[in-house]
C-alpha cells in the first residue's frame, strides 16, 4: 500500500509541477500577444487625431484614416481571440493542478480503516500537500483574474470603435505599460502566502518542496 501511495503521490506532484511550468509557458505566449494588442489599440486611437496625418495626404486619400482603423480593428480582434485562447489554456493548467491535488486525498485510507498507513512524502503529509496544491490553484486563479480584467478593458476599447464615442474612453499608455509589466513579471504570484498572513510559506516555497520531493534540482 505504501509503495503504491508513494508512486501515485509523486505522480500527482509531478502533474502539479508540470502544470505550473505549462502555465508559465502559456503566460509567456500571452505576453507577446497582449503587448501587440495594446500597441494596435493605442495606434488606432492616435490615428483618429487629425494632427497625426500629414495635411497633404488626407485630401488625396480621404478614407485613409477609416481604412487604417478597419485594418487595425481586424488585427485587434484576431489578437484578442488568440489571447482568449491562451487564457483558456492557462485555466486548463489550473484545473490540472486541482485534479492532481484532489487525487492526493484519495490515496488516504478510508475513514475508520485500521490499516497501517505510512505517509509516502518527506516534507509533509498527503493532506498537507493536497491543501497546498489547492491553495496554489487559488493563487493562479487570482493571477488569471487580473489578466482577464485587462482583456475585458481591451475588448471594451475595441467595441468603443463601433460607436461615435470611440475617443471618450482612451487607454492610458502609462497605465498600459504597468499592466503589461504585470503580465510579464506576475508580481505577487510566487510570493503569495498559501497559508494566510500567519504563515510565511509562499508559492515559491511550495515549488521548492515539489522539486525536493521529485528530485528536481533546477527549474
Amino acid at each position: 500500500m505504501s509503495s503504491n501511495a508513494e508512486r501515485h503521490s509523486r505522480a500527482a506532484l509531478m502533474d502539479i509541477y508540470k502544470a505550473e511550468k505549462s502555465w508559465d509557458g502559456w503566460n509567456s505566449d500571452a505576453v507577446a500577444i497582449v503587448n501587440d494588442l495594446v500597441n494596435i489599440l493605442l495606434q488606432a486611437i492616435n490615428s483618429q487625431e487629425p494632427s497625426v496625418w500629414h495635411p497633404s495626404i488626407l485630401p488625396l486619400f480621404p478614407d485613409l484614416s477609416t481604412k487604417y482603423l478597419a485594418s487595425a480593428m481586424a488585427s485587434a480582434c484576431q489578437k484578442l481571440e488568440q489571447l482568449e485562447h491562451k487564457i483558456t489554456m492557462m485555466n486548463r493548467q489550473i484545473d490540472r493542478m486541482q485534479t492532481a491535488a484532489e487525487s492526493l486525498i484519495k490515496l488516504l485510507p478510508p475513514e475508520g480503516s485500521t490499516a497501517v498507513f505510512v505517509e509516502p512524502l518527506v516534507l509533509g503529509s498527503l493532506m498537507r500537500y493536497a491543501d497546498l496544491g489547492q491553495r496554489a490553484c487559488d493563487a493562479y486563479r487570482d493571477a488569471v483574474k487580473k489578466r482577464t480584467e485587462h482583456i475585458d478593458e481591451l475588448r471594451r476599447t475595441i467595441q468603443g470603435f463601433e460607436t461615435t464615442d470611440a475617443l471618450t474612453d482612451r487607454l492610458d499608455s502609462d497605465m498600459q505599460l504597468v499592466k503589461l509589466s504585470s503580465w510579464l513579471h506576475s508580481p505577487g504570484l510566487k510570493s503569495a502566502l498559501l497559508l494566510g498572513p500567519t504563515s510565511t510559506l509562499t508559492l515559491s516555497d511550495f515549488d521548492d518542496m515539489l522539486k525536493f520531493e521529485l528530485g528536481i534540482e533546477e527549474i
Side-chain angles (χ1 to χ4, degrees):
M1 173 65 182
S2 60
S3 177
N4 187 55
E6 180 177 357
R7 183 171 65 255
H8 287 291
S9 63
R10 296 197 188 292
L13 296 189
M14 180 60 77
D15 277 347
I16 294 174
Y17 177 78
K18 288 183 176 180
E20 284 196 81
K21 300 294 287 183
S22 293
W23 192 96
D24 291 341
W26 288 111
N27 182 67
S28 294
D29 293 344
V31 168
I33 296 172
V34 72
N35 185 70
D36 288 344
L37 177 54
V38 167
N39 285 334
I40 290 171
L41 294 178
L42 289 176
Q43 291 173 13
I45 292 173
N46 290 336
S47 74
Q48 301 307 291
E49 296 286 355
S51 60
V52 170
W53 306 97
H54 194 279
S56 64
I57 294 180
L58 291 181
L60 297 174
F61 306 98
D63 60 347
L64 179 60
S65 176
T66 301
K67 287 185 175 180
Y68 176 86
L69 183 59
S71 176
M73 288 304 100
S75 297
C77 288
Q78 183 181 43
K79 294 294 182 181
L80 183 64
E81 184 177 349
Q82 294 172 355
L83 197 54
E84 289 172 336
H85 171 68
K86 303 303 180 185
I87 291 294
T88 296
M89 298 308 297
M90 291 162 73
N91 279 325
R92 287 184 183 177
Q93 302 315 308
I94 299 174
D95 291 341
R96 182 181 173 189
M97 294 180 215
Q98 183 75 40
T99 298
E102 292 172 352
S103 72
L104 290 171
I105 299 176
K106 297 177 181 178
L107 296 175
L108 293 170
E111 187 176 353
S113 172
T114 58
V116 176
F117 179 76
V118 179
E119 289 285 353
L121 300 174
V122 177
L123 299 181
S125 65
L126 291 178
M127 187 62 73
R128 175 175 172 79
Y129 269 102
D131 181 49
L132 291 175
Q134 291 169 347
R135 292 172 184 269
C137 290
D138 292 339
Y140 280 103
R141 288 192 184 96
D142 286 343
V144 169
K145 181 181 178 182
K146 293 174 183 176
R147 286 157 173 74
T148 302
E149 289 171 351
H150 188 203
I151 292 173
D152 289 342
E153 177 189 10
L154 300 178
R155 182 185 295 105
R156 288 192 299 271
T157 300
I158 294 173
Q159 294 170 344
F161 279 105
E162 299 174 357
T163 73
T164 57
D165 300 322
L167 295 177
T168 61
D169 187 20
R170 285 178 172 273
L171 292 178
D172 182 272
S173 58
D174 291 336
M175 182 57 65
Q176 290 304 310
L177 287 176
V178 172
K179 293 181 178 181
L180 290 174
S181 178
S182 293
W183 281 79
L184 179 61
H185 300 293
S186 298
L189 178 57
K190 292 300 183 180
S191 61
L193 295 175
L194 297 188
L195 298 177
T198 60
S199 170
T200 59
L201 195 146
T202 65
L203 181 58
S204 180
D205 295 329
F206 178 58
D207 292 344
D208 290 339
M209 291 171 65
L210 291 179
K211 288 184 285 186
F212 178 84
E213 297 283 4
L214 297 169
I216 298 173
E217 295 185 359
E218 293 187 2
I219 299 176

